[in-house]
Amino acid sequence: MLDEHYQHKWDAIGGDTGTRARGRRNYLRRTGGATYRIVRYADDFVVLVNGEQHHAEHARIEVAQILAPMGLQLSEPKTCVLHMDEGFDFLGWRIQRRTKAGTTRKVIYTYPSKKSLASIVGKVRYITRRSGSPYMSLEHLLKHLNTVVRGWCRYFRHGVSAATYRYLYSYLWKSVIRWLRVRHRGLGWRKIKRRYLTGYPAHRPEENGTALYNPQDIVIERYRYRGYAIPTPWTVPAALLEAGTSA
């Protein structure tokens, strides 16, 4: 219902394409109106408003009124009205408009949020803990650690994540080395390095062909446009939904 409400608003001013539709939207904004788009995943959503603050405040009231008949209500701790320059967290991302380096132009940046980074760092800290570790070998440790980190990094590969990946690899390397030094207290650093680290330039911890995953190896694909080209269960016709269900 919420998706349909904002889709009808958008369709009423011309939809996605065409110069006439863009002209209608521009005219609406110039005359004191606003345009709205909703982005939703399950019960998390954000309503994007191109207008003034009072338009965004009204949208908040409007959303609450639409949800009420369904027995739903907005979560007060998670619901707020923010300017795009302030930024907001959504589905693990930090989305914020900032000045592009070397220019005066402002653009939208998407990068891993501090909460998301803290989450993966916490998992790495737990896996490489110095006491009570269940891993009998470096190979066993790396296989589990790589699986956890690789999945997290692939999720954020479409954002401004290079700096985060550099930090994460540095934290990974230090954590694994610390685990090795505790695990092999009788070995000096030179022996640990010769036995468990690959040669220059990587110097990655490795055992039996399993090396520490480096997030910096992942290819970042910025601004991959999905748009509305791929239909979702909330926008395709009901007949198509029924056909998909019966199949």
Side-chain angles (χ1 to χ4, degrees), residues 196-216:
Y196 293 110
L197 300 191
T198 59
Y200 182 84
H203 289 300
R204 296 190 195 182
E206 179 183 5
E207 189 175 42
N208 297 331
T210 301
L212 175 65
Y213 176 71
N214 186 351
Q216 297 174 92

Side-chain angles (χ1 to χ4, degrees), residues 16 20 24 37 42 57-58 62 66 77 94 99 135-136 147-148 156 161 165 240:
D16 295 303
R20 292 184 64 183
R24 290 192 194 100
R37 297 312 309 261
E57 296 287 357
H58 176 73
E62 188 177 52
I66 294 171
R94 181 67 179 175
T99 303
Y135 306 103
M136 302 304 296
T147 300
V148 172
F156 289 105
S161 305
Y165 288 170
L240 180 59

Side-chain angles (χ1 to χ4, degrees), residues 25 34 49 70 83 87 98 130 149 157 160 184 203 232 240:
R25 293 196 291 270
V49 182
M70 296 183 285
H83 194 280
R98 304 167 67 177
R130 281 171 277 185
V149 174
R157 72 187 183 279
V160 187
H184 303 283
H203 289 300
T232 72
L240 180 59

Side-chain angles (χ1 to χ4, degrees), residues 128-148:
T128 60
R129 61 192 184 278
R130 281 171 277 185
S131 61
S133 176
Y135 306 103
M136 302 304 296
S137 66
L138 177 62
E139 179 185 6
H140 188 195
L141 172 77
L142 292 178
K143 284 182 177 180
H144 184 196
L145 188 62
N146 288 351
T147 300
V148 172

Side-chain angles (χ1 to χ4, degrees), residues 17-212:
T17 60
T19 55
R20 292 184 64 183
R22 288 194 292 272
R24 290 192 194 100
R25 293 196 291 270
N26 291 334
Y27 176 78
L28 179 63
R29 294 161 191 154
R30 286 197 307 269
T31 55
T35 53
Y36 306 83
R37 297 312 309 261
I38 184 172
V39 180
R40 183 169 73 86
Y41 180 81
D43 61 343
D44 290 325
F45 63 90
V46 57
V47 177
L48 304 173
V49 182
N50 191 331
E52 302 295 332
Q53 182 175 350
H54 68 88
H55 293 122
E57 296 287 357
H58 176 73
R60 179 174 182 169
I61 298 172
E62 188 177 52
V63 168
Q65 292 173 342
I66 294 171
L67 294 178
M70 296 183 285
L72 302 173
Q73 59 183 1
L74 293 174
S75 170
E76 289 299 326
K78 296 173 63 177
T79 305
C80 55
V81 174
L82 295 168
H83 194 280
M84 187 61 79
D85 290 354
E86 297 176 67
F88 60 95
D89 291 351
F90 184 59
L91 302 179
W93 293 93
R94 181 67 179 175
I95 303 170
Q96 186 175 14
R97 186 171 67 176
R98 304 167 67 177
T99 303
K100 187 176 181 179
T103 71
T104 58
R105 188 164 62 96
K106 288 194 171 185
V107 296
I108 304 296
Y109 285 93
T110 56
Y111 48 93
S113 68
K114 290 183 179 179
K115 185 176 180 180
S116 296
L117 180 58
S119 174
I120 189 64
V121 165
K123 290 178 181 178
V124 172
R125 184 186 301 116
Y126 179 77
I127 292 171
T128 60
R129 61 192 184 278
R130 281 171 277 185
S131 61
S133 176
Y135 306 103
M136 302 304 296
S137 66
L138 177 62
E139 179 185 6
H140 188 195
L141 172 77
L142 292 178
K143 284 182 177 180
H144 184 196
L145 188 62
N146 288 351
T147 300
V148 172
V149 174
R150 186 182 291 110
W152 188 91
C153 291
R154 287 185 62 82
Y155 178 77
F156 289 105
R157 72 187 183 279
H158 298 305
V160 187
S161 305
T164 303
Y165 288 170
R166 286 195 297 271
Y167 171 82
L168 182 57
Y169 180 67
S170 176
Y171 186 84
L172 282 167
W173 192 90
K174 292 175 182 177
S175 298
V176 173
I177 294 302
R178 187 163 54 243
W179 183 89
L180 278 170
R181 301 192 77 163
V182 171
R183 185 78 177 177
H184 303 283
R185 295 183 185 276
L187 297 179
W189 169 242
R190 288 186 179 181
K191 290 184 178 180
I192 289 178
K193 184 177 179 180
R194 184 170 61 249
R195 183 181 299 183
Y196 293 110
L197 300 191
T198 59
Y200 182 84
H203 289 300
R204 296 190 195 182
E206 179 183 5
E207 189 175 42
N208 297 331
T210 301
L212 175 65

